[in-house]
């Protein structure tokens, strides 16, 4: 992966010389800086996406778990960051089982409906975090030459669940969504 980055940087340098345009070195440096600190572990109430309306969960979940790694070589992500992702994903999972389920069971009418929409958005959030952690583990395993077949099987399984919940969220587009945080 490092060779690919070096080749890409060298290619950018040559393209910059050929076109007399500035070389995007600042962008490359910014990407490396992202790997060292733009993802910060947060309490569930700070990153939950269930309030608002349905239909936007994939973008909101990506903003939490995927976008901070835009342009980052996932094989360079620290174990502390992976642990933070997992901690946040576990918080979303706990919210689902410990908070959403009992509140939905106790609610009726519009409140129950809004909580159900929020639970679906929360599932998208949880699964997006799970998939991002798996993608990082795959990138790290590939960088070290390790077998990734078990991780890829897990990724496919979680992606299937995520696709189901994204479709359910899109079916809820515009409906009131209520969180539990």
């Amino acid at each position: 992966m490092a060779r690919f980055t070096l080749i890409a940087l060298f290619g950018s340098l040559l393209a910059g010389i050929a076109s007399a345009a500035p070389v995007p070195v600042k962008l490359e440096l910014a990407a490396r800086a992202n790997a060292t600190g733009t993802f910060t572990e947060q309490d569930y109430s700070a990153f939950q996406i269930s309030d608002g309306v349905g239909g936007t969960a994939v973008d909101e979940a990506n903003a939490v778990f995927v976008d901070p790694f835009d342009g980052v070589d996932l094989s360079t992500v620290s174990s502390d960051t992976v642990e933070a992702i997992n901690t946040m994903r576990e918080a979303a999972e706990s919210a689902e089982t410990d908070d959403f389920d009992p509140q939905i069971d106790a609610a009726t009418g519009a409140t129950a409906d809004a909580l159900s929409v929020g639970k679906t958005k929360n599932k998208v959030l949880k699964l997006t975090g799970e998939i991002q952690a798996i993608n990082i583990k795959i990138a790290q395993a590939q960088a070290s030459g390790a077998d990734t077949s078990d991780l890829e099987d897990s990724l496919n399984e979680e992606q299937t669940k995520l696709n189901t919940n994204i479709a359910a969220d899109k079916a809820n587009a515009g409906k009131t969504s209520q969180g539990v945080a």
Side-chain angles (χ1 to χ4, degrees):
M1 200 52 129
R3 276 189 259 158
F4 177 76
T5 302
L6 184 59
I7 291 169
L9 185 58
F10 183 69
S12 292
L13 178 64
L14 288 177
I17 291 170
S19 67
V23 180
V25 174
K26 287 184 182 177
L27 180 61
E28 184 67 27
L29 292 175
R32 277 187 258 150
N34 281 345
T36 62
T38 61
F39 189 87
T40 305
E41 185 175 334
Q42 302 173 51
D43 289 329
Y44 178 74
S45 61
F47 73 90
Q48 67 88 19
I49 64 170
S50 296
D51 292 322
V53 296
T56 59
V58 69
D59 292 333
E60 293 175 82
N62 283 342
V64 173
F65 286 117
V66 178
D67 296 350
F69 300 94
D70 187 34
V72 174
D73 176 353
L74 294 182
S75 69
T76 66
V77 173
S78 73
S79 60
D80 288 342
T81 299
V82 174
E83 186 176 322
I85 292 168
N86 282 325
T87 298
M88 289 171 63
R89 181 211 42 90
E90 289 168 0
E93 186 171 346
S94 292
E96 179 182 336
T97 57
D98 299 342
D99 297 319
F100 276 107
D101 288 344
Q103 287 186 35
I104 291 168
D105 289 344
T108 59
T111 301
D113 293 342
L115 284 165
S116 293
V117 173
K119 178 180 175 181
T120 299
K121 289 180 71 170
N122 186 72
K123 285 182 175 188
V124 171
L125 178 67
K126 170 190 74 171
L127 291 164
T128 300
E130 179 71 18
I131 287 171
Q132 183 68 332
I134 295 169
N135 280 327
I136 292 168
K137 291 175 187 176
I138 288 172
Q140 292 173 341
Q142 288 173 337
S144 69
D147 178 39
T148 61
S149 57
D150 286 346
L151 289 168
E152 290 174 18
D153 288 345
S154 292
L155 178 65
N156 290 332
E157 188 176 312
E158 298 303 316
Q159 187 64 54
T160 298
K161 293 177 192 175
L162 178 60
N163 291 343
T164 299
N165 283 286
I166 289 172
D169 177 62
K170 287 183 179 186
N172 289 330
K175 294 180 182 176
T176 301
S177 179
Q178 182 177 328
V180 293

